[in-house]
Amino acid sequence: MRVHMVCILLVIGLLPLYAGMHAMRALYWEYSFEKRVEQMKEQGTALAGQIAQTGYLQQQMQPEVSARLSVLANLMNGRIILLNSNLQVVKDTAEREEGKTLISEEPIYAMQGEIQTYYNEKERKAEVILPIVVGANAENNGQVIGVMIFEGSLADIVSAQELFRENIVVLMIGAAILLLGAALVISWCMIKPLRTLSGQIEHAAETYEGTEMIKSTGYLEVEQIAEAFRGMMEKTVATEKSRQEFVSNVSHELKTPLTAIKVLSDSLVLEPDVPIEMYREFINDINSEIDREAKIVNDLLALVKLDKTSGEMHIAEVNINELLEIILKRLKPLALKRGIEMIFESYRTVLAEIDEVKMSLVFTNLIENAIKYNRDGGRVMVSLNADHRYFYAKIEDTGIGIPEEEQGLIFDRFYRVDKARSRETGGTGLGLSITKSAVQMHKGSIKVQSIPGVGSIFTVRIPLSYVLTVQ
């Protein structure tokens, strides 16, 4: 990342500098060329006027004009060619074309009164072609009697431009060195909080501790990353603690019946001549502990199966009213044993897309708990309602209730509000955890309201359309 940042800073710094220098070089060339051409036009026009006045094109007998032609040609390190009206060369300061006739577009256009300028890149020369006019005044453009071809060298300008280019290269190298140093410092300052955060994260990842140490000051984005990772680590630590606690609870729950079975069986083995009544009592106790062990294992398997098959939902449209009536009828004998009244209230017919097996498990667990943890002669009331998106099933009992500080823990695996009562009723501490998992698989929610000694209300909210839940 630091290398990328240095490269980006170099590019950002050098590109505008290079573009600016290149533009300055182009402007220098344009300015110098135009100034040289204007100078040649000015001096050439003045000399053309003198030539027209002295009649130099007809007879080259004026030594001062010849001298001025040579001086001006030498001054521009170039050459001056004079043509008469027949485009015949009457004077060439380089003495190469005299007596020849030059028939080309440039002199012909000049004979029509046009002033032309050209740049010969190969020979690094500027060329100005001027008409030689006689009798020109404010009212008359005069008569063109000849043409002056004025060539001037641009070697000095080109050399200056090359020197300018070399200076640009040197300047760019110096700027690159300075920018590199600045980029290294800036990148180091920008990367430092990330390196600090990286070390904190690495330490936290190795030890699963010290999540409070994951914090960084400086850039807002780095602080946000630190906050997000701290939250993730806290969840990971909580998950790990939950896993360890779950393993510990499983070990304890499985070990307890085994210990009881071991004690009972040792008593039978070590005690000679055990009375038949005691023998039968111990065997019944052993059988009860085996049943309890089997129930714990079955509930664990059900919980694991829910976790593994969370994506395997057998969805079908089910009449929730009929489903609740079937479950209540199945559990009615359990309620009658303790004189508990069961009431079902339905405000409308509810059809919902659910996994019937999993939702049956939810309602069975909640209603069975409402019966088990109720008082003798109490009441269990089940109500069903719906709106345009969800249906609501409410299971209310008049039982022992749940303390407020424990209401958020009852869905944890193996958690029991009253451990002694749970053992009496045959509970494993997994029922509500299984219930919550099944509800969440339907993208629903489950809430509890309870007052100790008064009773509890469990409310389940499930979407009517399963398609809605997966969008």
Side-chain angles (χ1 to χ4, degrees):
M1 182 178 178
R2 190 176 182 186
V3 174
H4 294 165
M5 191 175 294
V6 169
C7 293
I8 291 172
L9 290 173
L10 282 174
V11 170
I12 292 174
L14 290 178
L15 275 182
L17 181 62
Y18 175 78
M21 292 297 181
H22 184 74
M24 289 177 61
R25 181 167 173 257
L27 288 173
Y28 169 78
W29 166 258
E30 185 177 353
Y31 172 79
S32 301
F33 177 76
E34 289 181 356
K35 193 167 184 63
R36 178 63 56 84
V37 168
E38 288 298 323
Q39 183 182 7
M40 291 172 64
K41 283 182 179 180
E42 182 180 347
Q43 295 184 0
T45 300
L47 184 55
Q50 185 178 3
I51 291 172
Q53 292 176 0
T54 59
Y56 188 79
L57 291 178
Q58 288 76 27
Q59 294 182 355
Q60 292 79 45
M61 302 300 293
Q62 294 81 7
E64 66 277 7
V65 176
S66 297
R68 188 174 177 185
L69 285 168
S70 299
V71 169
L72 186 57
N74 291 333
L75 181 65
M76 295 296 174
N77 194 23
R79 173 185 179 191
I80 297 177
I81 300 174
L82 299 180
L83 307 177
N84 59 20
S85 58
N86 296 322
L87 301 181
Q88 184 179 9
V89 179
V90 298
K91 179 65 177 178
D92 181 2
T93 56
E95 299 181 350
R96 293 200 300 268
E97 306 291 341
E98 291 182 353
K100 296 181 181 179
T101 300
L102 297 180
I103 301 176
S104 61
E105 292 181 354
E106 293 84 0
I108 293 174
Y109 287 143
M111 287 298 297
Q112 297 175 2
E114 295 183 14
I115 300 177
Q116 303 161 73
T117 59
Y118 299 95
Y119 169 56
N120 188 329
E121 185 177 1
K122 183 178 180 181
E123 297 183 6
R124 298 181 176 180
K125 289 181 179 182
E127 188 176 277
V128 178
I129 302 176
L130 302 164
I132 300 174
V133 183
V134 64
N137 52 48
E139 298 179 356
N140 186 13
N141 292 330
Q143 179 183 359
V144 179
I145 61 173
V147 176
M148 175 188 289
I149 301 175
F150 191 180
E151 295 179 356
S153 175
L154 300 177
D156 56 335
I157 298 176
V158 174
S159 298
Q161 192 183 34
E162 290 297 322
L163 180 62
F164 189 78
R165 185 185 65 80
E166 293 173 2
N167 291 335
I168 289 177
V169 173
V170 174
L171 182 62
M172 291 290 291
I173 293 174
I177 294 173
L178 291 175
L179 282 172
L180 179 60
L184 288 172
V185 173
I186 293 172
S187 64
W188 182 84
C189 293
M190 295 181 71
I191 294 298
K192 185 180 178 181
L194 291 175
R195 285 187 171 178
T196 303
L197 178 61
S198 176
Q200 295 170 354
I201 291 173
E202 185 177 354
H203 174 73
E206 288 177 354
T207 61
Y208 275 93
E209 295 178 353
T211 54
E212 68 280 355
M213 298 298 294
I214 302 177
K215 52 186 176 182
S216 181
T217 57
Y219 311 114
L220 175 62
E221 291 78 7
V222 177
E223 293 179 1
Q224 290 174 342
I225 293 173
E227 183 66 26
F229 197 87
R230 183 164 57 250
M232 184 185 72
M233 283 297 298
E234 288 173 354
K235 290 180 180 178
T236 303
V237 170
T239 302
E240 178 62 18
K241 289 181 179 179
S242 176
R243 184 190 66 81
Q244 293 175 356
E245 184 179 353
F246 176 69
V247 172
S248 175
N249 288 336
V250 169
S251 301
H252 175 74
E253 293 296 330
L254 293 177
K255 184 178 179 182
T256 300
L258 290 175
T259 302
I261 293 172
K262 177 66 175 174
V263 171
L264 292 169
S265 61
D266 286 346
S267 298
L268 292 175
V269 171
L270 297 176
E271 288 288 338
D273 302 325
V274 178
I276 189 64
E277 293 80 6
M278 182 180 294
Y279 186 86
R280 287 177 177 173
E281 181 183 351
F282 279 20
I283 290 297
N284 288 331
D285 290 341
I286 290 173
N287 189 53
S288 297
E289 293 298 333
I290 291 174
D291 289 341
R292 175 171 170 73
E293 187 91 4
K295 185 171 178 56
I296 293 173
V297 172
N298 289 333
D299 282 350
L300 284 172
L301 290 175
L303 198 58
V304 171
K305 186 177 180 181
L306 283 176
D307 289 339
K308 285 186 176 181
T309 62
S310 59
E312 298 177 8
M313 299 286 286
H314 303 286
I315 301 299
E317 187 175 75
V318 177
N319 187 312
I320 307 300
N321 307 67
E322 293 179 357
L323 178 63
L324 283 171
E325 288 173 356
I326 292 172
I327 294 172
L328 288 168
K329 184 177 180 180
R330 187 189 308 150
L331 295 174
K332 189 173 182 179
L334 182 63
L336 290 176
K337 287 181 180 180
R338 299 179 57 201
I340 295 173
E341 181 183 8
M342 299 181 70
I343 303 171
F344 177 49
E345 283 187 348
S346 176
Y347 295 92
R348 57 179 51 84
T349 301
V350 177
L351 298 176
E353 296 176 359
I354 61 169
D355 185 316
E356 186 173 357
V357 174
K358 294 180 176 63
M359 194 54 60
S360 296
L361 185 63
V362 170
F363 294 142
T364 299
N365 281 340
L366 292 176
I367 297 172
E368 187 175 1
N369 282 348
I371 295 172
K372 287 180 178 180
Y373 299 99
N374 212 325
R375 58 182 173 81
D376 292 343
R379 182 182 62 181
V380 174
M381 188 169 71
V382 179
S383 62
L384 178 65
N385 204 346
D387 57 24
H388 66 289
R389 294 185 64 184
Y390 301 94
F391 76 82
Y392 305 85
K394 184 184 295 184
I395 295 89
E396 182 177 356
D397 64 60
T398 56
I400 60 176
I402 305 167
E404 184 178 358
E405 65 274 10
E406 298 189 59
Q407 291 177 17
L409 304 173
I410 60 174
F411 296 104
D412 294 345
R413 296 169 182 179
F414 291 111
Y415 186 84
R416 297 185 181 91
V417 176
D418 187 341
K419 295 178 173 57
R421 180 69 181 271
S422 295
R423 293 188 185 279
E424 290 176 7
T425 58
T428 63
L430 293 172
L432 287 178
S433 180
I434 294 171
T435 298
K436 185 175 182 180
S437 296
V439 169
Q440 289 177 336
M441 289 172 66
H442 286 82
K443 307 303 180 186
S445 63
I446 180 169
K447 295 181 180 179
V448 61
Q449 296 173 291
S450 184
I451 300 175
V454 177
S456 303
I457 302 174
F458 284 84
T459 304
V460 177
R461 187 188 75 171
I462 303 294
L464 294 172
S465 174
Y466 186 74
V467 176
L468 174 66
T469 69
V470 298
Q471 287 180 345

